[in-house]
Amino acid sequence: MTKPDTDMLETLFQDARATPPALPDGLMDRIMADALAQQPASGARGWRAIWRAIGGAPAFGGLVTATAVGFWIGVAPPSNLPDIAAQIITGASFATLDDGSAPELTAFGWDIEEG
Amino acid sequence: MGRARLIGAPAAVSRKRMSLDAALDVAQDDPDAALLVRYAQGDAAAARVLTVQLTPRAFGHALRVLGDRTEAEDVTQEALMRLWKIAPDWRTGEAKVSTWLYRVVANLCTDRLRKRRGSVPLEDIAEPADPAESAEAKLQRGARLDALQAALDTLPDRQRQAVVLRHIEGLANPEIAAILDIGVEAVESLTARGKRALATLLGGQRDALGYDDDKT
């Protein structure tokens, strides 16, 4: 391999590097279409979609907490709230302001009126 | 190479720190891998960027190895299709996306050359352009590239692949070794023999290709 031949070859390689072959018409479009056809769906389906819609694990944690607190309030309501669960289960009537079962509130009303 | 840097990482750093460095190395070494992960997550923009970046490289290699545009087109589309299919299972850090793709292209080319072997009529091999057409520089360059392609077509498959990857695609020998699944020394041997054969083949065409005219 003589020096001139080597130099000529290097020049040829440089030319080849500087002249990338033109792509066939439509090849890029076809490959892009393949890519999109094979691409896993960005919008997940089924339970995964619901999971994403509510915001993933952090949002789900908040939902669980809110649900548990709500359930507990239903089971063991604070003393100043009517025990609706017990009323539903036992069939007892609801407390109302005019049945005398809430004297504190009525008395409070009088206090306001009297100043 | 990323691997060499990992091996050379200071022993005093913690394992966690080193794995972080490794992840950063991979991200810096191979942005295509990050794009492929985004593609697998459903990012259409990543699909477009990967297509635009990888298609010309795959087609360029296939065309120079096969010397046939139609076959090179088929190989390119097939290789990219395999990439899209493997994307959800891609394991970042094991190989560069481009290395993986070149390897698929190289194997698909080898398959086609095997099928073709012994059945290619001589007239199907590109001939150097008529020297009479080389009056203008553009034509001259075209003729030179045709001559290079014709000479490449005469090389054995592995030599051709190694020469194209090294001298036209401009890859480093370790990456070519990974693509062709051989050792670095074998790559050096293949490229040296390939270049020698090309120089011999093309040396006889110096005048026809205008190299004595423009002193290049």
Side-chain angles (χ1 to χ4, degrees):
Chain A
M1 190 156 56
T2 63
K3 176 91 172 50
D5 288 347
T6 311
D7 291 347
M8 181 185 75
L9 199 53
E10 289 301 332
T11 308
L12 274 171
F13 287 144
Q14 280 174 18
D15 280 352
R17 277 197 292 272
T19 318
L23 291 179
D25 290 340
L27 176 61
M28 199 80 94
D29 292 340
R30 283 194 294 282
I31 289 176
M32 189 66 206
D34 285 347
L36 295 178
Q38 295 294 325
Q39 189 166 33
S42 57
R45 295 170 193 161
W47 285 110
R48 200 176 286 270
I50 295 170
W51 181 255
R52 279 199 189 176
I54 65 170
F60 188 70
L63 276 179
V64 168
T65 307
T67 305
V69 169
F71 181 75
W72 186 247
I73 288 174
V75 169
S79 57
N80 58 344
L81 284 180
D83 190 351
I84 295 173
Q87 287 168 358
I88 291 170
I89 293 166
T90 61
S93 60
F94 286 88
T96 57
L97 288 179
D98 58 355
D99 68 357
S101 63
E104 299 86 358
L105 184 56
T106 312
F108 180 68
W110 281 112
D111 292 343
I112 294 292
E113 276 192 17
E114 288 173 358
Chain B
M1 298 296 288
R3 192 173 177 181
R5 275 209 300 279
L6 287 179
I7 292 167
V13 297
S14 70
R15 174 173 289 188
K16 191 174 177 183
R17 173 72 197 170
M18 208 161 91
S19 65
L20 179 63
D21 286 346
L24 288 173
D25 272 356
V26 168
Q28 283 168 358
D29 283 354
D30 192 13
D32 290 343
L35 283 168
L36 198 59
V37 170
R38 281 174 50 198
Y39 165 79
Q41 290 169 346
D43 185 343
R48 186 170 297 280
V49 174
L50 282 170
T51 302
V52 169
Q53 285 182 351
L54 298 176
T55 302
R57 297 168 79 175
F59 180 74
H61 182 60
L63 179 61
R64 276 159 180 145
V65 171
L66 293 170
D68 181 291
R69 287 182 70 83
T70 307
E71 280 198 287
E73 188 175 349
D74 291 346
V75 162
T76 304
Q77 196 166 357
E78 170 65 22
L80 268 298
M81 178 63 94
R82 292 189 187 188
L83 181 67
W84 308 136
K85 285 183 175 171
I86 204 176
D89 302 321
W90 184 264
R91 289 197 282 187
T92 303
E94 289 199 356
K96 282 175 73 175
V97 173
S98 59
T99 304
W100 184 92
L101 186 65
Y102 273 124
R103 188 168 183 166
V104 173
V105 170
N107 288 337
L108 289 172
C109 288
T110 299
D111 290 346
R112 286 185 178 249
L113 290 172
R114 273 195 197 127
K115 284 180 193 163
R116 198 201 281 179
R117 192 166 296 151
S119 63
V120 180
L122 271 178
E123 57 266 29
D124 283 0
I125 297 176
E127 289 290 332
D130 184 345
E133 294 175 5
S134 64
E136 294 180 26
K138 192 176 174 184
L139 285 176
Q140 184 70 271
R141 170 181 276 219
R144 289 171 181 176
L145 292 180
D146 284 347
L148 175 62
Q149 186 61 56
L152 279 170
D153 288 345
T154 65
L155 296 184
D157 173 28
R158 306 292 272 179
Q159 271 185 37
R160 194 185 319 176
Q161 301 243 25
V163 167
V164 171
L165 289 169
R166 179 75 186 92
H167 294 289
I168 300 181
E169 299 298 327
L171 303 185
N173 284 348
E175 188 169 6
I176 299 170
I179 290 166
L180 298 180
D181 201 17
I182 54 179
V184 174
E185 286 181 7
V187 173
E188 289 166 357
S189 167
L190 282 173
T191 50
R193 278 184 284 152
K195 274 183 74 176
R196 208 175 303 131
L198 286 178
T200 306
L201 282 164
L202 293 165
Q205 301 178 46
R206 290 186 65 84
D207 293 345
L209 295 174
Y211 279 99
D212 286 341
D213 294 339
D214 55 18
K215 306 294 180 196
T216 49

